[in-house]
Amino acid sequence: MTNQSFDDGEWQAQERARKAVRDGAMPSGDEGADVVYRRIAQALREPPSIGLPREFAADVAKLASPPASPVHAKADPELRIAGTLAGILVACCVVVGFRYAGALGSLLASPLGAWGLSALCCTAAAQGFQLLTKRMAGGFEASLR
């Protein structure tokens, strides 16, 4: 059971008006709601004159369709920042490595240095894996479009 009320008299008036317009038999005189419904039925039978160009639907379809070749959008700002920071980190590591090569060798030989290097490698691998999965997911989503 629904909460919508249904008025059978209104329905019948709408149907009479629709049939009268379809058959071209316009009853004479004012019949209350039937006159309004006949006007509505007549207006709905005629296409609206809004003056769209003939190729309007094709132009809209071209706009809605995906491009033939995938266009790489600008990278996600988070990915650009992460890439920039990773580049700066690599450059700093190279400079520090050349400058303090002897001291780094003795530091890595100690247990603290080995754990620190392991933690650094794990962090770099996790960040790299995260960036890789984001790029793969972006490519997958683009292929679905």
Side-chain angles (χ1 to χ4, degrees), residues 7-57:
D7 187 358
D8 190 48
E10 288 291 316
W11 176 264
Q12 294 302 325
Q14 293 171 12
E15 286 298 309
R16 280 193 306 270
R18 188 183 60 80
K19 287 178 186 175
V21 169
R22 184 189 64 205
D23 297 339
M26 294 294 185
S28 62
D30 278 343
E31 299 171 9
D34 284 355
V35 175
V36 174
Y37 290 136
R38 278 197 311 265
R39 285 190 208 144
I40 292 171
Q42 182 65 33
L44 291 175
R45 288 185 59 83
E46 298 171 5
S49 59
I50 54 177
L52 292 175
R54 193 178 259 319
E55 62 277 349
F56 176 77

Side-chain angles (χ1 to χ4, degrees), residues 96-145:
V96 168
F98 281 124
R99 183 162 179 133
Y100 300 105
L104 281 175
S106 64
L107 176 66
L108 290 177
S110 71
L112 179 62
W115 278 105
L117 181 63
S118 297
L120 181 66
C121 289
C122 288
T123 302
Q127 288 299 315
F129 184 72
Q130 182 182 12
L131 290 174
L132 179 66
T133 55
K134 278 189 177 184
R135 289 197 182 195
M136 287 175 59
F140 179 71
E141 289 172 1
S143 69
L144 292 178
R145 293 183 193 151

